[in-house]
Amino acid sequence: MSENPFCYTDERFADIQMLRYRLNGFESLSLQQKRLIYYLSKATLYGRDITFDQFGKYNLRIRKVLEVIYRDMRIPHDNKDFRELAVYLKRIWFSSGIYHHYGCEKFRPGFSKRFFCESLQIVDPRQLPLEEGQTVNDLFNELAPIIFDEHILPKRVNKADGADLVQTSACNFYQNVSQEEVENYYAALNQQYDEAPPSYGLNSTLVKENGVVREEVWYSDGRYSNAIRHIIFWLEKAAEVAENDKQKEVIKTLIAYYQTGDLRLFDDYSIKWLQTSDTRIDFINGFIEVYGDPLGIKGSWEGLVEYVDLEATRRAQTISDNAQWFEDHSPVDQRFKKQVVRGVSAKVICAAMLGGDEYPSTAIGINLPNADWIRARYGSKSITISNITDAYNKAAHGNGFREEFIKDPKILELIEKYGDICDDLHTDLHECLGHGSGQLLPDTSPDSLKSYGNVIEEARADLFGLYYMADSKLVELGLLPDNKAYKAQYFTYMLNGIMTQLVRIEHGHQIEEAHMRNRALIARWCLDHSQHMRLVVKDGIHQLEIDDFLELRQLISQLLAEIQRIKSEGDYEAARQLVEKYAVTIDPDLHTEVLSRYKKLNLAPYKGFINPWLLPVLDDKGEIIDIQVNYSESYDHQMMRYSSEYSTLI
C-alpha cells in the first residue's frame, strides 16, 4: 500500500486558508542537528506571548478568556454564537491578537455581547485571568468594550498622514507618550553617535510616569522576563549541541543580550550571526522587524528555525557571488553605490519551526541584520524559504485565480511556463541583493524617513530585483532560461500592485501594510508614467495591458534611482509625497469589481501555516535518540496546546 500524499491545505475560516509545510530532507540530518532544531524550536515557541502582548494591551487577557469558554463543554456549542466565537478566537490566534495581521483593523465579533456575558457566568472563575480583587462581572466590563465597541482602540498600527501615530495606534509599545515625545527621546540618544549607533528603542516599551519619559527594557530581569527566561533555557540547551564553536558563540552572545538587554550585545550577536555561514542549521530569535510600530522603532518578537536546502542554495549562491557586479551596474547615482560589497551571504532554507511574528503567517524571504551600519561594514545574510513557497505554489495550483484576472492567453502561457521560477528568483534578488544594496550618505540618519521608512526600503529592494529580472546577466548565469522569462514577473507584479492585492483589503479601507504599499507605489507610479502600460475596460471588467516591457524596465530603473536617492539622502518630504500619492488610497469602484470577481472563486485571500509537531523519541535513560515529525495536528489543537505549554505572561 502506498503512503498517502502530503496534504498542503487544511481548514479555512474567515478570510484565511491554513496550509502545512513539509520538512523535506529532515530525516537525513544527523541526531545532533535534529536535537539542535528541537531545542531552538522550543526557544522559538516560548516567545509567543511576547508577540501577543506587543500587538495590543488586552490581547493576552482576551485570548485567555475566550480559550476558557472554547473548551468548556457546559456551554452549548451547537449555535451561531459559539461558532462565531470559535472563528473570532481562531482569528486572534492567527494575528497574535484582536487586530487583522495585514490591515491592522480590529476584528468585528460575530457573537453577541449577551452570549459573552452568559458564558463568563458558566465557566470556572478560577480559570479566568482575574486580577486581584476583580470579579467576573468586572472582567466582563473591562473586556466587553474592547471587543465590541469599534471606536475603542480601533487600529493596531495607524499610518494616516497628519495623525499622532503613537496615540492613535493600539500596539503596546508606548504608554502615555505622544509621537513628538517619542521622536525627541530617540533623537537625543542618536545624537551621541556619529556612526554605528545602537538600534535605540528596539527592545523596550517607552513610558511616561510623573512627567518623566523612560524605557522599560525587554530582558530577563525586566519586562517579559518570564518568557525570556524560558527562551534562554532552551537556547542554553541548543548551545550544548551547536554544530561548531562559532555557532555556539552566536547562541551564547544572544543569551547574554537577553540577560542584559544591552543593544551593543545585540549588535555583537548580529555580526557574529552574520559571519557564521558554515552550518546546516540556523535560526532567528529576537526583537527584529519594526513593521508593527507606526514609527518603525520597536522590534516585534519573532522566531524561525531553519536548515539549508542544499540544492536550491546553489541558485542563491550564484547571485551572492556576483553581488559586486549587480551593485556596479545598478542605475542609481554613483554616490549611493557601495564601492565594495561586503559579506553578502545567501541561502535557500527549509523552515523547521515558525514563531512569534513569523507564525502562522510568515515571510518567504528574509534579509538581516537591519542596522544600516552593520550592512555597510559587514554585509548581510539573506534567506529564501523553499518549503514555504513550495506549499504556496502547490496549494494555489489550478484555483482559477490567474484565469480570472488575466484574459490574454499568451500572457497566461508565459506565466504558466515561467511564473514559479521568476517568483523564486525575484525573492532571491530582493533579499540577497536589494536590501543589501546602496548606502546612506555620511550625514543621513537611518531614521530620517520615519513612518515612511519601511515602505521605501521594501520598494527599494523590490525595484532592485525587478530591474535585474530583465537583465541578460541572469540568463548568462543560468538563473533564467531565456530573455523573455522576465515578462511573466513584470506582468504579475504590476497586476498585483494595481489590482489583485486589493482582494486582501476590506472595502472602504485604505492600504496600510508596508509591503502592500510598496507594491502599489511601484505599480501605480509605472502606470502613471508609462506610454505602453494601461488599465482598460473590456467585456465590462478591468484588464491590464503591457505592450512594451523594455519601456517598463526603463521606468523601473528611473524609480529605483529616485527611491535610492530618497533613502540615501533621507529625503522625508519626497518619501511622504510618493507614498501618499501612489500607495495609500484605493479607487472604490475598482475595489468593488476586484472583490466581486474574487468572491466568485471562493478563495481565501490570506494564507498561514500549521507548524509540524516535533516529538522527541527517548531511550530507557530518557536521552533523545531521534526527533519525530508529526503533521497531523489540527489548527485549534496546536493553538490550544501552545497556550497551555508556552503561556508565560498570563
Side-chain angles (χ1 to χ4, degrees):
M1 175 179 271
S2 62
E3 183 181 350
N4 290 331
F6 184 82
C7 185
Y8 289 91
T9 58
D10 202 84
E11 74 166 290
R12 175 180 170 181
F13 55 90
D15 57 357
I16 293 163
Q17 174 71 60
M18 298 305 300
L19 307 176
R20 296 183 186 274
Y21 59 98
R22 190 175 183 89
L23 272 58
N24 302 308
F26 182 85
E27 66 282 352
S28 67
L29 299 175
S30 70
L31 176 58
Q32 179 184 352
Q33 290 171 327
K34 290 179 180 179
R35 289 174 64 195
L36 177 58
I37 286 175
Y38 176 71
Y39 295 144
L40 290 172
S41 294
K42 298 289 279 188
T44 290
L45 296 174
Y46 267 112
R48 180 176 184 246
D49 275 8
I50 297 176
T51 310
F52 268 86
D53 189 72
Q54 289 179 320
F55 286 3
K57 178 180 178 180
Y58 297 93
N59 284 339
L60 286 171
R61 290 170 62 73
I62 292 173
R63 188 193 78 191
K64 176 69 172 180
V65 168
L66 295 181
E67 287 173 346
V68 171
I69 295 173
Y70 184 69
R71 67 170 174 259
D72 195 317
M73 297 307 296
R74 293 172 297 175
I75 297 172
H77 284 35
D78 189 21
N79 60 74
K80 180 179 183 295
D81 275 316
F82 185 86
R83 289 191 291 270
E84 290 291 345
L85 182 142
V87 170
Y88 185 79
L89 178 56
K90 289 177 181 182
R91 298 185 78 185
I92 288 174
W93 288 333
F94 191 91
S95 297
S96 297
I98 63 174
Y99 301 93
H100 197 281
H101 72 290
Y102 237 68
C104 293
E105 67 274 6
K106 188 164 69 172
F107 298 137
R108 297 172 184 169
F111 58 97
S112 69
K113 188 184 297 186
R114 179 177 179 178
F115 176 78
F116 181 54
C117 181
E118 291 173 348
S119 298
L120 284 179
Q121 303 303 319
I122 295 174
V123 301
D124 183 351
R126 293 172 298 180
Q127 301 296 318
L128 296 172
L130 296 173
E131 297 178 343
E132 187 175 353
Q134 191 177 39
T135 67
V136 173
N137 285 335
D138 292 336
L139 182 64
F140 171 80
N141 291 330
E142 175 194 5
L143 298 184
I146 307 300
I147 295 173
F148 294 98
D149 191 333
E150 64 183 23
H151 302 294
I152 296 177
L153 303 175
K155 187 175 286 290
R156 176 166 65 88
V157 183
N158 183 28
K159 298 180 180 178
D161 190 28
D164 185 309
L165 302 184
V166 169
Q167 295 186 343
T168 58
S169 295
C171 54
N172 198 21
F173 295 122
Y174 305 102
Q175 294 177 12
N176 303 320
V177 290
S178 67
Q179 179 177 345
E180 182 180 10
E181 288 172 321
V182 175
E183 291 174 345
N184 289 342
Y185 182 89
Y186 289 114
L189 290 177
N190 283 309
Q191 284 177 359
Q192 303 174 37
Y193 290 87
D194 293 329
E195 59 177 12
S199 300
Y200 282 122
L202 187 71
N203 66 336
S204 67
T205 305
L206 195 67
V207 304
K208 184 168 71 173
E209 292 179 343
N210 300 319
V212 178
V213 178
R214 63 178 181 84
E215 288 185 310
E216 291 183 354
V217 179
W218 309 329
Y219 75 113
S220 62
D221 288 323
R223 195 171 179 122
Y224 302 139
S225 59
N226 194 35
I228 291 173
R229 288 171 186 169
H230 280 82
I231 293 170
I232 290 172
F233 174 85
W234 289 102
L235 287 175
E236 288 173 338
K237 299 279 285 184
E240 295 172 3
V241 293
E243 294 179 88
N244 56 38
D245 289 339
K246 289 179 69 176
Q247 188 181 60
K248 179 181 292 187
E249 182 62 23
V250 169
I251 297 172
K252 287 186 174 295
T253 305
L254 177 60
I255 291 170
Y257 160 63
Y258 273 136
Q259 290 172 332
T260 63
D262 185 346
L263 285 166
R264 281 297 181 187
L265 280 173
F266 178 69
D267 288 341
D268 188 24
Y269 152 74
S270 298
I271 295 167
K272 290 177 179 177
W273 173 81
L274 177 61
Q275 295 175 332
T276 303
S277 58
D278 56 348
T279 59
R280 182 79 186 273
I281 314 302
D282 206 351
F283 70 101
I284 295 166
N285 188 295
F287 308 106
I288 309 293
E289 301 293 356
V290 296
Y291 301 109
D293 175 6
L295 301 186
I297 297 172
K298 306 295 179 183
S300 301
W301 194 92
E302 67 179 60
L304 170 67
V305 186
E306 65 197 57
Y307 56 99
V308 176
D309 182 332
L310 296 175
E311 179 63 32
T313 291
R314 294 189 180 96
R315 180 186 69 231
Q317 191 61 50
T318 299
I319 294 172
S320 60
D321 287 346
N322 288 274
Q324 190 65 60
W325 184 92
F326 286 102
E327 183 77 0
D328 292 344
H329 291 80
S330 170
V332 306
D333 191 294
Q334 194 67 34
R335 295 175 300 151
F336 310 141
K337 294 182 182 181
K338 290 177 178 174
Q339 299 307 304
V340 178
V341 177
R342 304 181 187 277
V344 176
S345 169
K347 293 181 179 180
V348 178
I349 60 96
C350 286
M353 190 62 63
L354 309 171
D357 200 17
E358 286 294 330
Y359 168 79
S361 177
T362 183
I364 58 174
I366 297 171
N367 182 276
L368 293 171
N370 285 329
D372 284 297
W373 72 268
I374 295 179
R375 289 176 181 274
R377 193 174 298 179
Y378 299 98
S380 62
K381 184 187 287 189
S382 173
I383 61 170
T384 52
I385 311 178
S386 62
N387 57 341
I388 295 296
T389 55
D390 182 55
Y392 278 131
N393 291 339
K394 285 184 168 61
H397 184 71
N399 64 11
F401 183 83
R402 287 177 180 171
E403 290 77 8
E404 173 58 41
F405 289 97
I406 304 172
K407 300 302 182 181
D408 186 332
K410 292 183 178 179
I411 294 294
L412 277 171
E413 182 181 357
L414 199 69
I415 294 170
E416 184 66 27
K417 185 175 182 180
Y418 300 115
D420 288 351
I421 188 175
C422 284
D423 283 345
D424 289 342
L425 183 56
H426 183 252
T427 300
D428 287 344
L429 291 168
H430 173 111
E431 300 293 350
C432 300
L433 301 180
H435 280 305
S437 67
Q439 64 181 0
L440 302 181
L441 294 182
D443 295 332
T444 299
S445 167
D447 298 322
S448 297
L449 303 182
K450 301 180 182 179
S451 61
Y452 298 104
N454 289 332
V455 180
I456 294 299
E457 175 56 25
E458 291 302 324
R460 191 176 72 90
D462 259 2
L463 286 162
F464 195 95
L466 288 169
Y467 176 75
Y468 281 112
M469 285 294 298
D471 201 294
S472 59
K473 183 72 172 180
L474 299 187
V475 179
E476 176 188 324
L477 293 173
L479 297 171
L480 283 180
D482 55 52
N483 286 317
K484 62 182 180 182
Y486 79 94
K487 297 178 182 180
Q489 185 67 20
Y490 273 23
F491 194 95
T492 54
Y493 189 96
M494 295 299 155
L495 181 68
N496 186 42
I498 295 168
M499 288 180 62
T500 54
Q501 72 171 359
L502 299 182
V503 304
R504 295 182 166 192
I505 301 173
E506 187 175 344
H507 194 271
H509 289 204
Q510 296 184 332
I511 304 175
E512 299 283 352
E513 200 274 335
H515 297 81
M516 295 180 79
R517 284 188 167 188
N518 140 51
R519 292 188 287 267
L521 190 160
I522 293 172
R524 291 172 172 183
W525 186 94
C526 289
L527 183 66
D528 194 29
H529 290 79
S530 175
Q531 300 296 315
H532 298 279
M533 180 170 71
R534 56 198 166 270
L535 198 60
V536 300
V537 177
K538 287 186 176 180
D539 300 323
I541 57 174
H542 283 85
Q543 299 181 41
L544 180 67
E545 294 182 345
I546 302 176
D547 296 334
D548 188 338
F549 286 91
L550 292 179
E551 184 227 31
L552 183 53
R553 190 196 189 206
Q554 184 58 39
L555 292 174
I556 288 167
S557 170
Q558 294 173 19
L559 185 56
L560 173 58
E562 174 61 6
I563 291 286
Q564 182 64 63
R565 182 199 68 77
I566 289 171
K567 171 87 174 180
S568 296
E569 295 181 351
D571 190 341
Y572 172 84
E573 184 56 29
R576 187 191 70 79
Q577 290 182 16
L578 264 182
V579 173
E580 293 297 333
K581 181 175 181 179
Y582 291 107
V584 178
T585 60
I586 301 173
D587 181 302
D589 294 333
L590 178 62
H591 198 187
T592 298
E593 177 196 315
V594 169
L595 292 176
S596 175
R597 294 167 67 183
Y598 186 75
K599 186 177 181 180
K600 293 188 304 181
L601 301 174
N602 194 30
L603 301 174
Y606 298 101
K607 310 294 189 294
F609 291 90
I610 300 171
N611 277 327
W613 193 351
L614 301 184
L615 298 167
V617 179
L618 308 178
D619 63 13
D620 294 340
K621 298 179 181 179
E623 298 293 326
I624 295 176
I625 57 173
D626 198 7
I627 301 295
Q628 181 185 75
V629 182
N630 187 302
Y631 298 108
S632 66
E633 189 172 28
S634 67
Y635 175 63
D636 60 342
H637 185 278
Q638 181 161 108
M639 290 300 188
M640 292 294 283
R641 179 172 66 86
Y642 283 3
S643 292
S644 174
E645 294 183 15
Y646 303 105
S647 182
T648 56
L649 301 180
I650 191 168

